[in-house]
Amino acid sequence: MGTLEEKNILLTDVLHFVGPGTSVHLAAEGANVLCHDPAFEDDERRTAFAAQFPQLKVAGSVTAKDLAEEALATLGSVDVLINNDAYPAPRIPIDEAKPDDMRGALEHLVVRGFELAGALVPHMKERGSGRILFITSAGPIGGIPNFTIYAAARSAANGMVKSLAQELGPFGISVNAVAPNYLDNPDYYPPELMEKPGVAEKIFARIPLGRLGRQEEAAALIAFFAGDQSGFVTGQVIPFAGGWA
């Protein structure tokens, strides 16, 4: 029996960031995992994913409200919401950036997760329990020159975790964040980048542990926050960055 037996989990952006490794890990631990990704608005993409990963359930809703309703209809309840929000991290100096660049990052990395959490909180309040986990970034903890847009949006999400934890704690709902930096994933460290001469060595030199974090390592940490062992932990932003933060 897995550590997450009978847990009902909604995981967003399953094709991105920590989604690929986390989804299958949670299912292997016994959870009922409903996966969502914007790409699943395409019926063919959704059907192909479902065929490839029969151990996972797939949601095709567009809005946060509809996704919350679909999750409750499919799973019966939602014990854990994992907002795995992913968005490009453009390298743009502030004197070249446009306000719309910031608005786009905030919409995808803050507003979307805020909306979905808000749509599911009434259900969790009624049950008197729940876990909300945001996958954010350690980037704003140390700061990254020329990535102010991305760092600002992720910092806002980290701040949201702190406030929501205090707001929702009296209802038995915990709110935490896992904040990766230097995680092996095709969004931020695509193979075509890492295979260029000297690139991997330059990146690894910035990381005290000298390598990228692995999907399965991030998944194990996320599973801890999804499980009963983390019941007394809330309001925390945990860097997953190999000692960089």
Side-chain angles (χ1 to χ4, degrees), residues 91 144-147 181-182 189 193-212 244:
R91 183 185 179 92
I144 311 175
N146 298 314
F147 287 90
N181 197 19
Y182 300 116
Y189 299 97
L193 171 66
M194 299 302 291
E195 291 169 2
K196 289 182 179 179
V199 169
E201 290 78 5
K202 184 177 180 180
I203 292 173
F204 295 164
R206 303 170 187 160
I207 309 167
L209 288 181
R211 63 174 176 85
L212 296 181
W244 181 85

mmCIF file of all heavy atoms in Angstrom, residues 91 144-147 181-182 189 193-212 244:
data_model
loop_
_atom_site.group_PDB
_atom_site.id
_atom_site.type_symbol
_atom_site.label_atom_id
_atom_site.label_comp_id
_atom_site.label_asym_id
_atom_site.label_seq_id
_atom_site.Cartn_x
_atom_site.Cartn_y
_atom_site.Cartn_z
ATOM 1 N N ARG A 91 14.599 36.199 -20.610
ATOM 2 C CA ARG A 91 15.732 37.026 -20.178
ATOM 3 C C ARG A 91 15.573 38.405 -20.812
ATOM 4 O O ARG A 91 15.907 38.624 -21.980
ATOM 5 C CB ARG A 91 17.049 36.376 -20.601
ATOM 6 C CG ARG A 91 18.297 37.123 -20.140
ATOM 7 C CD ARG A 91 19.549 36.459 -20.705
ATOM 8 N NE ARG A 91 20.748 37.166 -20.296
ATOM 9 C CZ ARG A 91 21.463 36.885 -19.211
ATOM 10 N NH1 ARG A 91 21.100 35.876 -18.443
ATOM 11 N NH2 ARG A 91 22.537 37.582 -18.899
ATOM 12 N N ILE A 144 17.874 36.802 -9.756
ATOM 13 C CA ILE A 144 18.541 36.425 -11.003
ATOM 14 C C ILE A 144 18.536 37.644 -11.920
ATOM 15 O O ILE A 144 17.470 38.074 -12.372
ATOM 16 C CB ILE A 144 17.826 35.251 -11.698
ATOM 17 C CG1 ILE A 144 17.552 34.114 -10.713
ATOM 18 C CG2 ILE A 144 18.651 34.750 -12.871
ATOM 19 C CD1 ILE A 144 16.756 32.976 -11.310
ATOM 20 N N PRO A 145 19.698 38.236 -12.210
ATOM 21 C CA PRO A 145 19.741 39.426 -13.071
ATOM 22 C C PRO A 145 19.082 39.179 -14.425
ATOM 23 O O PRO A 145 19.248 38.115 -15.027
ATOM 24 C CB PRO A 145 21.248 39.684 -13.240
ATOM 25 C CG PRO A 145 21.886 39.013 -12.070
ATOM 26 C CD PRO A 145 21.040 37.809 -11.766
ATOM 27 N N ASN A 146 18.325 40.159 -14.887
ATOM 28 C CA ASN A 146 17.650 40.145 -16.183
ATOM 29 C C ASN A 146 16.449 39.197 -16.247
ATOM 30 O O ASN A 146 15.838 39.053 -17.306
ATOM 31 C CB ASN A 146 18.631 39.817 -17.319
ATOM 32 C CG ASN A 146 19.734 40.844 -17.452
ATOM 33 O OD1 ASN A 146 19.475 42.049 -17.430
ATOM 34 N ND2 ASN A 146 20.972 40.384 -17.557
ATOM 35 N N PHE A 147 16.115 38.578 -15.132
ATOM 36 C CA PHE A 147 14.922 37.732 -15.061
ATOM 37 C C PHE A 147 13.935 38.298 -14.032
ATOM 38 O O PHE A 147 13.244 37.567 -13.343
ATOM 39 C CB PHE A 147 15.296 36.294 -14.685
ATOM 40 C CG PHE A 147 15.977 35.539 -15.794
ATOM 41 C CD1 PHE A 147 17.352 35.572 -15.926
ATOM 42 C CD2 PHE A 147 15.235 34.807 -16.715
ATOM 43 C CE1 PHE A 147 17.985 34.875 -16.946
ATOM 44 C CE2 PHE A 147 15.856 34.108 -17.735
ATOM 45 C CZ PHE A 147 17.236 34.137 -17.849
ATOM 46 N N ASN A 181 14.790 25.406 -8.341
ATOM 47 C CA ASN A 181 15.661 26.091 -9.291
ATOM 48 C C ASN A 181 16.688 25.055 -9.719
ATOM 49 O O ASN A 181 17.109 24.225 -8.908
ATOM 50 C CB ASN A 181 16.348 27.302 -8.672
ATOM 51 C CG ASN A 181 16.899 28.233 -9.741
ATOM 52 O OD1 ASN A 181 16.496 28.180 -10.902
ATOM 53 N ND2 ASN A 181 17.836 29.092 -9.365
ATOM 54 N N TYR A 182 17.042 25.063 -10.982
ATOM 55 C CA TYR A 182 17.938 24.044 -11.529
ATOM 56 C C TYR A 182 17.329 22.648 -11.444
ATOM 57 O O TYR A 182 17.980 21.684 -11.057
ATOM 58 C CB TYR A 182 19.294 24.093 -10.821
ATOM 59 C CG TYR A 182 19.983 25.428 -10.975
ATOM 60 C CD1 TYR A 182 20.226 26.244 -9.868
ATOM 61 C CD2 TYR A 182 20.386 25.890 -12.225
ATOM 62 C CE1 TYR A 182 20.842 27.474 -10.007
ATOM 63 C CE2 TYR A 182 21.000 27.118 -12.377
ATOM 64 C CZ TYR A 182 21.224 27.906 -11.271
ATOM 65 O OH TYR A 182 21.828 29.120 -11.422
ATOM 66 N N TYR A 189 15.304 23.733 -19.029
ATOM 67 C CA TYR A 189 16.601 23.157 -19.390
ATOM 68 C C TYR A 189 16.409 22.114 -20.491
ATOM 69 O O TYR A 189 16.637 20.928 -20.291
ATOM 70 C CB TYR A 189 17.292 22.547 -18.156
ATOM 71 C CG TYR A 189 17.551 23.576 -17.089
ATOM 72 C CD1 TYR A 189 16.681 23.731 -16.009
ATOM 73 C CD2 TYR A 189 18.627 24.453 -17.191
ATOM 74 C CE1 TYR A 189 16.888 24.708 -15.058
ATOM 75 C CE2 TYR A 189 18.838 25.442 -16.237
ATOM 76 C CZ TYR A 189 17.963 25.557 -15.177
ATOM 77 O OH TYR A 189 18.167 26.535 -14.241
ATOM 78 N N LEU A 193 19.533 22.814 -25.304
ATOM 79 C CA LEU A 193 20.356 23.774 -24.577
ATOM 80 C C LEU A 193 21.478 23.066 -23.835
ATOM 81 O O LEU A 193 22.647 23.444 -23.933
ATOM 82 C CB LEU A 193 19.501 24.569 -23.590
ATOM 83 C CG LEU A 193 20.259 25.461 -22.612
ATOM 84 C CD1 LEU A 193 20.967 26.591 -23.351
ATOM 85 C CD2 LEU A 193 19.325 26.022 -21.536
ATOM 86 N N MET A 194 21.131 22.020 -23.092
ATOM 87 C CA MET A 194 22.106 21.345 -22.228
ATOM 88 C C MET A 194 23.177 20.612 -23.033
ATOM 89 O O MET A 194 24.270 20.342 -22.506
ATOM 90 C CB MET A 194 21.385 20.366 -21.307
ATOM 91 C CG MET A 194 20.381 21.024 -20.372
ATOM 92 S SD MET A 194 21.119 22.288 -19.299
ATOM 93 C CE MET A 194 22.136 21.275 -18.221
ATOM 94 N N GLU A 195 22.891 20.295 -24.299
ATOM 95 C CA GLU A 195 23.862 19.575 -25.119
ATOM 96 C C GLU A 195 24.838 20.495 -25.836
ATOM 97 O O GLU A 195 25.803 20.017 -26.448
ATOM 98 C CB GLU A 195 23.117 18.701 -26.137
ATOM 99 C CG GLU A 195 22.383 17.527 -25.487
ATOM 100 C CD GLU A 195 21.435 16.831 -26.438
ATOM 101 O OE1 GLU A 195 21.377 17.234 -27.631
ATOM 102 O OE2 GLU A 195 20.738 15.889 -25.999
ATOM 103 N N LYS A 196 24.639 21.801 -25.752
ATOM 104 C CA LYS A 196 25.580 22.735 -26.362
ATOM 105 C C LYS A 196 26.908 22.697 -25.597
ATOM 106 O O LYS A 196 26.906 22.611 -24.358
ATOM 107 C CB LYS A 196 25.012 24.153 -26.355
ATOM 108 C CG LYS A 196 23.853 24.360 -27.314
ATOM 109 C CD LYS A 196 23.368 25.798 -27.279
ATOM 110 C CE LYS A 196 22.223 26.022 -28.264
ATOM 111 N NZ LYS A 196 21.727 27.421 -28.221
ATOM 112 N N PRO A 197 28.036 22.780 -26.286
ATOM 113 C CA PRO A 197 29.338 22.713 -25.619
ATOM 114 C C PRO A 197 29.489 23.764 -24.512
ATOM 115 O O PRO A 197 29.253 24.946 -24.732
ATOM 116 C CB PRO A 197 30.327 22.976 -26.761
ATOM 117 C CG PRO A 197 29.598 22.562 -27.997
ATOM 118 C CD PRO A 197 28.157 22.908 -27.754
ATOM 119 N N GLY A 198 29.836 23.302 -23.348
ATOM 120 C CA GLY A 198 30.135 24.181 -22.225
ATOM 121 C C GLY A 198 28.940 24.663 -21.425
ATOM 122 O O GLY A 198 29.117 25.186 -20.312
ATOM 123 N N VAL A 199 27.723 24.488 -21.942
ATOM 124 C CA VAL A 199 26.554 25.026 -21.248
ATOM 125 C C VAL A 199 26.308 24.292 -19.928
ATOM 126 O O VAL A 199 26.123 24.915 -18.883
ATOM 127 C CB VAL A 199 25.299 24.944 -22.151
ATOM 128 C CG1 VAL A 199 24.039 25.252 -21.332
ATOM 129 C CG2 VAL A 199 25.422 25.923 -23.296
ATOM 130 N N ALA A 200 26.279 22.975 -19.964
ATOM 131 C CA ALA A 200 26.010 22.204 -18.745
ATOM 132 C C ALA A 200 27.053 22.508 -17.675
ATOM 133 O O ALA A 200 26.715 22.715 -16.499
ATOM 134 C CB ALA A 200 25.975 20.716 -19.062
ATOM 135 N N GLU A 201 28.302 22.544 -18.069
ATOM 136 C CA GLU A 201 29.375 22.807 -17.102
ATOM 137 C C GLU A 201 29.207 24.177 -16.448
ATOM 138 O O GLU A 201 29.422 24.351 -15.248
ATOM 139 C CB GLU A 201 30.743 22.717 -17.795
ATOM 140 C CG GLU A 201 31.151 21.326 -18.212
ATOM 141 C CD GLU A 201 30.462 20.854 -19.493
ATOM 142 O OE1 GLU A 201 29.727 21.665 -20.120
ATOM 143 O OE2 GLU A 201 30.648 19.681 -19.846
ATOM 144 N N LYS A 202 28.819 25.175 -17.256
ATOM 145 C CA LYS A 202 28.623 26.529 -16.726
ATOM 146 C C LYS A 202 27.471 26.558 -15.730
ATOM 147 O O LYS A 202 27.568 27.210 -14.672
ATOM 148 C CB LYS A 202 28.353 27.497 -17.883
ATOM 149 C CG LYS A 202 28.224 28.944 -17.458
ATOM 150 C CD LYS A 202 28.024 29.851 -18.676
ATOM 151 C CE LYS A 202 27.893 31.308 -18.250
ATOM 152 N NZ LYS A 202 27.703 32.205 -19.425
ATOM 153 N N ILE A 203 26.376 25.867 -16.059
ATOM 154 C CA ILE A 203 25.225 25.827 -15.153
ATOM 155 C C ILE A 203 25.568 25.074 -13.876
ATOM 156 O O ILE A 203 25.278 25.530 -12.768
ATOM 157 C CB ILE A 203 24.017 25.198 -15.872
ATOM 158 C CG1 ILE A 203 23.516 26.124 -16.977
ATOM 159 C CG2 ILE A 203 22.896 24.897 -14.872
ATOM 160 C CD1 ILE A 203 22.430 25.524 -17.851
ATOM 161 N N PHE A 204 26.201 23.923 -14.025
ATOM 162 C CA PHE A 204 26.525 23.106 -12.854
ATOM 163 C C PHE A 204 27.458 23.840 -11.895
ATOM 164 O O PHE A 204 27.419 23.611 -10.675
ATOM 165 C CB PHE A 204 27.175 21.788 -13.282
ATOM 166 C CG PHE A 204 26.265 20.874 -14.063
ATOM 167 C CD1 PHE A 204 26.792 19.820 -14.793
ATOM 168 C CD2 PHE A 204 24.884 21.075 -14.090
ATOM 169 C CE1 PHE A 204 25.958 18.979 -15.514
ATOM 170 C CE2 PHE A 204 24.047 20.253 -14.812
ATOM 171 C CZ PHE A 204 24.588 19.196 -15.524
ATOM 172 N N ALA A 205 28.302 24.721 -12.423
ATOM 173 C CA ALA A 205 29.244 25.451 -11.577
ATOM 174 C C ALA A 205 28.535 26.384 -10.599
ATOM 175 O O ALA A 205 29.106 26.767 -9.570
ATOM 176 C CB ALA A 205 30.209 26.252 -12.450
ATOM 177 N N ARG A 206 27.284 26.752 -10.901
ATOM 178 C CA ARG A 206 26.530 27.644 -10.014
ATOM 179 C C ARG A 206 25.839 26.883 -8.879
ATOM 180 O O ARG A 206 25.323 27.491 -7.943
ATOM 181 C CB ARG A 206 25.457 28.386 -10.814
ATOM 182 C CG ARG A 206 25.975 29.187 -11.984
ATOM 183 C CD ARG A 206 24.806 29.665 -12.834
ATOM 184 N NE ARG A 206 25.250 30.304 -14.065
ATOM 185 C CZ ARG A 206 24.487 30.466 -15.140
ATOM 186 N NH1 ARG A 206 23.228 30.026 -15.112
ATOM 187 N NH2 ARG A 206 24.958 31.047 -16.215
ATOM 188 N N ILE A 207 25.784 25.559 -8.991
ATOM 189 C CA ILE A 207 24.994 24.744 -8.073
ATOM 190 C C ILE A 207 25.936 24.023 -7.109
ATOM 191 O O ILE A 207 26.787 23.247 -7.554
ATOM 192 C CB ILE A 207 24.157 23.703 -8.855
ATOM 193 C CG1 ILE A 207 23.368 24.391 -9.979
ATOM 194 C CG2 ILE A 207 23.229 22.951 -7.920
ATOM 195 C CD1 ILE A 207 22.779 23.420 -10.978
ATOM 196 N N PRO A 208 25.831 24.242 -5.809
ATOM 197 C CA PRO A 208 26.726 23.571 -4.873
ATOM 198 C C PRO A 208 26.791 22.057 -5.047
ATOM 199 O O PRO A 208 27.860 21.461 -4.897
ATOM 200 C CB PRO A 208 26.158 23.965 -3.510
ATOM 201 C CG PRO A 208 25.588 25.318 -3.748
ATOM 202 C CD PRO A 208 24.997 25.255 -5.125
ATOM 203 N N LEU A 209 25.662 21.412 -5.376
ATOM 204 C CA LEU A 209 25.679 19.962 -5.577
ATOM 205 C C LEU A 209 26.146 19.564 -6.975
ATOM 206 O O LEU A 209 26.281 18.370 -7.267
ATOM 207 C CB LEU A 209 24.297 19.362 -5.290
ATOM 208 C CG LEU A 209 23.901 19.328 -3.814
ATOM 209 C CD1 LEU A 209 22.527 18.689 -3.653
ATOM 210 C CD2 LEU A 209 24.930 18.559 -2.979
ATOM 211 N N GLY A 210 26.368 20.533 -7.843
ATOM 212 C CA GLY A 210 27.018 20.264 -9.114
ATOM 213 C C GLY A 210 26.208 19.513 -10.148
ATOM 214 O O GLY A 210 26.773 18.912 -11.070
ATOM 215 N N ARG A 211 24.893 19.558 -10.068
ATOM 216 C CA ARG A 211 24.040 18.882 -11.055
ATOM 217 C C ARG A 211 22.644 19.469 -10.987
ATOM 218 O O ARG A 211 22.314 20.229 -10.065
ATOM 219 C CB ARG A 211 23.958 17.373 -10.774
ATOM 220 C CG ARG A 211 23.319 17.023 -9.415
ATOM 221 C CD ARG A 211 23.129 15.529 -9.265
ATOM 222 N NE ARG A 211 22.616 15.141 -7.966
ATOM 223 C CZ ARG A 211 21.314 15.121 -7.641
ATOM 224 N NH1 ARG A 211 20.403 15.481 -8.532
ATOM 225 N NH2 ARG A 211 20.929 14.746 -6.437
ATOM 226 N N LEU A 212 21.802 19.104 -11.954
ATOM 227 C CA LEU A 212 20.397 19.480 -11.903
ATOM 228 C C LEU A 212 19.634 18.539 -10.981
ATOM 229 O O LEU A 212 19.987 17.367 -10.822
ATOM 230 C CB LEU A 212 19.773 19.419 -13.303
ATOM 231 C CG LEU A 212 20.300 20.383 -14.362
ATOM 232 C CD1 LEU A 212 19.544 20.171 -15.669
ATOM 233 C CD2 LEU A 212 20.184 21.835 -13.907
ATOM 234 N N TRP A 244 21.701 26.110 -3.959
ATOM 235 C CA TRP A 244 21.794 27.465 -4.512
ATOM 236 C C TRP A 244 21.024 28.465 -3.658
ATOM 237 O O TRP A 244 21.419 29.623 -3.537
ATOM 238 C CB TRP A 244 21.258 27.470 -5.951
ATOM 239 C CG TRP A 244 21.316 28.795 -6.632
ATOM 240 C CD1 TRP A 244 22.378 29.338 -7.310
ATOM 241 C CD2 TRP A 244 20.254 29.759 -6.727
ATOM 242 N NE1 TRP A 244 22.050 30.565 -7.814
ATOM 243 C CE2 TRP A 244 20.752 30.852 -7.471
ATOM 244 C CE3 TRP A 244 18.941 29.796 -6.266
ATOM 245 C CZ2 TRP A 244 19.975 31.972 -7.761
ATOM 246 C CZ3 TRP A 244 18.183 30.919 -6.544
ATOM 247 C CH2 TRP A 244 18.687 31.985 -7.278
#
